[in-house]
């Protein structure tokens, strides 16, 4: 296949190297497979991206956070997911990647909003402080609350990336001095796609952005506005250590022999049974087993507001959806063999029926049945 290069995004943040078609198709196929769409969808994405002169404008806001989600995105490789996303979009405002600063950056934000009103994608990373009118996070003299509401007003799609932006994350942990919360709580009445995780998996952002860019739609969302393709199952449902859980083989304490054998981490606090995410099948940085359970640590429940930074690290949790098996069905159904017990029971039943038939015929005055065949005698 000829290798066609896609032109890099003309981003105010700087230029990005292009990605060849083969790599583009490869990652698109992976991302679309993750969201449940076939290979043809990846091919269509490639066509759409190649044909589109104008890439969707993206405004990426940073509030209370560690920038871990951006870092996680930028550290991808083989091929570079960040490069792919940045080739799909025009990143018109992003404080982390911007060369511009101060008034220049503010002007870029205003221009992007004006030029792409009603169409731009707003990505929010970081929690939003609410106490004392949100004075704890200000950029260019405006609070995070004001900026988020202003930018959301004319956005075509809004995505909260990471647990901080989705529901408050670590800045919202007790005692939460700034009143930190997620973007959906500030942008009430708007559809805010949430991609929680600490950090969020870049493939989940890629899948969401690809679907929006290619089809102009958002993926199916659950009741917390998380894409179902990524958050429809618990970690426990797809965990490679699950056979050990089912067999009752548990790590009892860190570093014991069972830990070395790769047994289940439930008893030392794994939150996988109550955590909805796809980390167990979509690892980080394209490195096999690069996710907490993969390297021997219990799942922390980072995507779940009720768990992360609230339930102690080594406390156990209830199983969200308890599932079989306690026992397994036989692989082959037994055939061609009748047990002596079954033969005896059938004999008793047959004898009883025959006896009842003889008694009934006597009562009714009819011919008694033949004792060997059970058939009535000719009158
Ligand atoms: Fe995996 Fe944790 Fe479930 Fe054990 S409890 S099977 S380690 S998700």
């Amino acid at each position: 296949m000829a290798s066609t290069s896609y032109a890099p995004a003309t981003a105010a943040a700087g230029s990005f190297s292009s990605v060849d078609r083969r790599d583009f198709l490869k990652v698109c196929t992976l991302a679309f497979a993750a969201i449940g769409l076939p290979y043809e969808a990846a091919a269509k994405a490639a066509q759409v991206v190649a044909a589109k002169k104008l890439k969707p404008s993206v405004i990426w806001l940073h509030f209370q956070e560690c920038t871990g989600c951006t870092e996680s995105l930028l550290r991808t490789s083989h091929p570079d997911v960040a490069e792919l996303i940045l080739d799909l979009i025009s990143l018109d405002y992003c404080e982390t990647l911007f060369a511009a600063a101060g008034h220049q950056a503010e002007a870029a934000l205003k221009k992007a909003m004006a030029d792409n009103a009603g169409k731009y994608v707003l990505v929010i990373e970081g929690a939003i402080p609410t106490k004392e009118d949100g004075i704890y996070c200000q950029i260019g003299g405006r609070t995070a609350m004001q900026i988020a509401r202003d930018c959301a007003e004319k956005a075509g799609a809004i995505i909260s990336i990471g647990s901080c932006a989705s529901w408050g994350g670590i800045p919202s942990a007790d005692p939460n001095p700034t009143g930190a919360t997620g973007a959906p709580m500030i942008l009430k009445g708007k559809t805010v796609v949430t991609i929680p995780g600490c950090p969020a998996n870049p493939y989940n952002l890629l899948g969401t952005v690809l679907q929006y860019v290619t089809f102009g739609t958002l993926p199916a969302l659950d009741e917390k506005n998380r894409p179902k393709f990524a958050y429809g199952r618990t970690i426990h449902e797809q965990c490679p250590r699950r056979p050990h859980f089912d067999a009752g083989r548990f790590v009892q304490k860190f570093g014991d022999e069972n830990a070395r054998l790769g047994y289940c981490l439930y008893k030392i606090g794994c939150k996988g049974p109550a955590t909805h995410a796809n980390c167990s099948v979509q690892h980080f940085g394209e490195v096999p087993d690069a996710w907490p359970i993969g390297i021997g640590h219990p799942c922390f429940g980072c995507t779940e507001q009720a768990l992360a930074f609230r339930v102690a690290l080594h406390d156990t949790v209830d199983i969200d959806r308890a599932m079989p098996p306690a026992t397994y069905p036989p692989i082959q159904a037994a055939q061609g063999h009748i047990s002596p017990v079954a033969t005896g029971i059938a004999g008793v039943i047959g004898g009883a029926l025959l006896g009842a038939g003889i008694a009934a015929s006597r009562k009714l005055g009819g011919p008694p049945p033949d004792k060997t065949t059970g058939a009535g005698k000719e009158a």
Side-chain angles (χ1 to χ4, degrees):
M1 188 195 311
S3 183
T4 310
S5 280
Y6 289 101
T10 49
S15 65
F16 303 93
S17 59
S18 57
V19 179
D20 78 27
R21 188 170 192 274
R22 193 172 310 200
D23 280 350
F24 181 86
L25 267 178
K26 194 171 148 192
V27 174
C28 282
T29 307
L30 275 176
F32 275 128
I35 65 175
L37 292 173
Y39 174 80
E40 293 74 41
K44 177 156 167 70
Q47 280 173 8
V48 168
V49 172
K52 267 193 180 168
K53 293 195 177 71
L54 277 177
K55 298 167 199 280
S57 170
V58 171
I59 293 171
W60 191 304
L61 301 177
H62 289 275
F63 297 132
Q64 289 179 301
E65 36 111 18
C66 67
T67 319
C69 293
T70 295
E71 284 295 326
S72 165
L73 175 67
L74 296 176
R75 296 291 168 260
T76 54
S77 54
H78 314 304
D80 191 327
V81 174
E83 212 171 333
L84 288 171
I85 291 181
L86 295 170
D87 269 4
L88 283 169
I89 62 171
S90 172
L91 188 64
D92 292 331
Y93 183 84
C94 177
E95 287 145 22
T96 304
L97 300 175
F98 247 13
H103 294 299
Q104 262 187 324
E106 290 299 305
L109 175 59
K110 285 200 183 104
K111 183 169 178 354
M113 287 170 62
D115 290 352
N116 304 287
K119 292 182 289 188
Y120 59 84
V121 179
L122 175 64
V123 178
I124 298 178
E125 183 177 346
I128 299 175
T130 57
K131 274 192 189 158
E132 301 188 46
D133 294 328
I135 61 165
Y136 298 105
C137 182
Q138 295 190 42
I139 299 158
R142 293 192 298 159
T143 65
M145 276 199 294
Q146 289 169 330
I147 297 168
R149 284 184 181 135
D150 188 27
C151 291
E153 196 53 43
K154 297 214 166 107
I158 307 170
I159 300 172
S160 279
I161 185 162
S163 293
C164 298
S166 296
W167 47 262
I170 196 166
S172 70
D174 282 343
N176 194 359
T178 65
T181 190
M185 296 80 193
I186 298 296
L187 305 175
K188 287 200 164 66
K190 301 255 178 210
T191 299
V192 181
V193 178
T194 62
I195 304 183
C198 195
N201 192 309
Y203 272 89
N204 297 340
L205 175 68
L206 178 64
T208 305
V209 171
L210 269 177
Q211 176 157 342
Y212 186 73
V213 170
T214 310
F215 301 108
T217 58
L218 293 172
L221 305 174
D222 70 6
E223 73 287 352
K224 293 177 183 167
N225 275 4
R226 303 177 293 195
K228 283 185 181 171
F229 70 79
Y231 301 90
R233 292 187 185 179
T234 63
I235 297 278
H236 187 62
E237 285 175 82
Q238 309 177 92
C239 180
R241 297 187 188 224
R242 178 61 189 271
H244 294 303
F245 176 92
D246 289 340
R249 294 189 289 259
F250 296 100
V251 173
Q252 303 294 338
K253 62 177 185 180
F254 277 103
D256 69 6
E257 183 57 23
N258 290 355
R260 276 187 279 278
L261 290 168
Y263 285 0
C264 171
L265 301 159
Y266 181 70
K267 283 193 177 177
I268 55 170
C270 184
K271 312 289 186 291
T275 301
H276 295 79
N278 59 349
C279 323
S280 53
V281 289
Q282 191 65 64
H283 302 165
F284 286 79
E286 286 94 43
V287 177
D289 275 344
W291 68 296
I293 291 173
I295 56 167
H297 195 279
C299 165
F300 176 51
C302 73
T303 62
E304 299 287 349
Q305 184 173 9
L307 297 177
F309 318 113
R310 284 164 177 79
V311 178
L313 188 59
H314 299 130
D315 282 358
T316 52
V317 290
D318 292 338
I319 310 282
D320 201 45
R321 284 195 288 271
M323 285 182 298
T327 58
Y328 294 89
I331 293 169
Q332 286 179 322
Q335 287 178 6
H337 171 75
I338 301 171
S339 77
V341 176
T343 311
I345 291 170
V348 168
I349 294 170
L353 287 173
L354 191 58
I358 292 167
S361 67
R362 279 187 187 141
K363 268 190 196 166
L364 294 170
D370 186 308
K371 281 189 185 172
T372 52
T373 63
K377 280 187 180 171
E378 291 293 324

